[in-house]
């Protein structure tokens, strides 16, 4: 069974552009927050708490694909519905749908990988297979 | 009597910097949102709804002064307590105090003015005396 | 013949996230700036200067599709190569390729439309056919 | 003798708010970038390159105080003039002045400290005395 989580966003004045509407990269920022929240809601601790044990530092993006249907502006409340639509060996795809009330404003998929920093003093980053315990928590 | 409003913020991953803590200009962004919310909570409509009748476009900043005491990170919930601490003829000062639970993380004053765009087709901006009806609603 | 413009970006500390790398929505922000710069480089004035005559307020996004290959961090200089890859009756597609030196870090397409605000006192926004004079300047 | 460095910023569409002008927290972001650039221009490597040897992770803010005189909008080029106006035992104060051509748009002081992360696997942060070798490079 697929879990769908909800993440709430209040649009701020500073999220909007000279056209008076949400500057579109903020939707990506909110989807990223919804992605973090998804794992948290499924019982996975924040990456920073997992680091010492697992060297995991996050789930960077390989690809995003977003469609914008209706604009939003400051003072409005949005809800992002998030689910994982597929798991690969190393990757997974999340679908985020941004609603204002019943209106779907925008939706996008993110393709992400799990990465670790094997040496805390180094800059190197490595992708790893999807950790099974995380996958288990999300299903 | 002074009104104190509360504005809630959930810190996102993208609000944080390479040191893992909130990138400080985001506190200014949130204080700005708290300033908007203050007027809204006092019964003043969003500036965009007032424009046709009043030409009012907002309350730009003359000055900010912010002190940072304790850092915050993503996944945490903050509350901003906002009040107006003084009114001038054209200016007013707002105090914003950012709390995480009982801990005061940061606080700042903003000095703002009310401005109008007298001609909707023009770029010109004019400061005006504090509108009495707005002042009345905030006290 | 297709014009390809170049837009330069210096990555700031505040553009980076707790993993120490550019927070990905900033690539979308920079592609948007590169999109504006493209028209400017082709001889089209900023939208705000065109407004009184044309009611044009910008070219909002219908869709973005971005692939991330290599990360970047603060202190680095990037160059975005931008071109229009297709024109529809009402839409156009821009391709943005972000380079650090010879390394392609990320690339994305944007599908955009031209919109006007027919009434300066209103919130309404209308899509219009691609203005021929703009298309002419871009070829 | 005091060094004054210059940091260049191109204002992007996404830096501006519904009033069509730079959203003020972006001035703080740019001053922060100018602060980083100041040290770099004085011959201090990025903090991330110093970390392994020094555990230094940056110079977080204790306090900012900014005055806004003239607004700016997208497509404009700004230059930030930065200098250190005083050194304490643990703190230092930087002055940033933002110009568009000869026009001073805004200026602000930042009070900062040097901090280290003594344990790379921990979250703890400690302030330290101003490193003499850094102070020497800046004078």
């Amino acid at each position: 069974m697929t879990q769908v989580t909800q993440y709430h966003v209040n649009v701020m004045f500073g999220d909007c552009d000279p056209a008076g509407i949400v500057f579109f990269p903020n939707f990506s920022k909110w989807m990223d927050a919804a992605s973090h929240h998804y794992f948290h809601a499924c019982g996975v601790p924040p990456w920073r708490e997992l680091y010492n044990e697992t060297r995991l530092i996050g789930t960077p993006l390989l690809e995003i694909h977003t469609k914008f249907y209706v604009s939003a502006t400051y003072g409005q409340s949005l809800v992002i519905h998030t689910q994982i639509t597929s798991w690969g060996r190393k990757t997974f795809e999340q679908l985020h749908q941004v609603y204002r009330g019943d209106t779907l404003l925008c939706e996008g998929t993110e393709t992400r990988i799990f990465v670790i920093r094997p040496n805390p003093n180094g800059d190197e980053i490595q992708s790893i297979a999807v950790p099974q315990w995380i996958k288990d928590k999300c299903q």
Side-chain angles (χ1 to χ4, degrees), chain A:
Chain A
M1 222 196 73
T2 306
Q3 302 202 40
V4 181
T5 59
Q6 299 195 359
Y7 185 74
H8 293 260
V9 169
N10 295 309
V11 183
M12 298 182 190
F13 182 79
D15 293 320
C16 298
D17 66 20
I21 58 176
V22 170
F23 184 55
F24 73 96
N26 286 314
F27 284 108
S28 297
K29 182 190 180 191
W30 299 334
M31 288 178 184
D32 181 74
S35 172
H36 282 258
H37 177 259
Y38 176 90
F39 288 107
H40 186 66
C42 292
V44 181
W47 312 127
R48 64 175 181 274
E49 293 178 15
L50 293 172
Y51 178 68
N52 282 344
E53 201 179 322
T54 64
R55 297 297 173 217
L56 205 52
I57 59 167
T59 55
L61 274 301
L62 294 186
E63 191 168 342
I64 59 172
H65 193 171
T66 315
K67 295 179 184 182
F68 305 95
Y69 307 126
V70 178
S71 66
T73 191
Y74 59 97
Q76 297 181 340
S77 294
L78 312 182
V79 183
I80 306 179
H81 297 226
T82 295
Q83 58 190 291
I84 291 183
T85 45
S86 70
W87 292 95
R89 196 179 74 78
K90 285 192 153 190
T91 64
F92 63 98
E93 195 178 88
Q94 270 182 322
L95 168 66
H96 305 280
Q97 294 174 299
V98 185
Y99 286 91
R100 184 184 57 215
D102 291 337
T103 307
L104 179 60
L105 303 186
C106 115
E107 63 186 334
T109 55
E110 296 176 330
T111 309
R112 293 175 176 269
I113 45 168
F114 286 88
V115 298
I116 59 170
R117 172 166 287 144
N119 177 351
N121 291 335
D123 278 342
E124 197 201 351
I125 284 178
Q126 267 176 20
S127 68
I128 56 168
V130 172
Q132 188 61 43
W133 70 272
I134 292 182
K135 194 170 167 181
D136 288 345
K137 280 189 178 290
C138 298
Q139 276 166 337

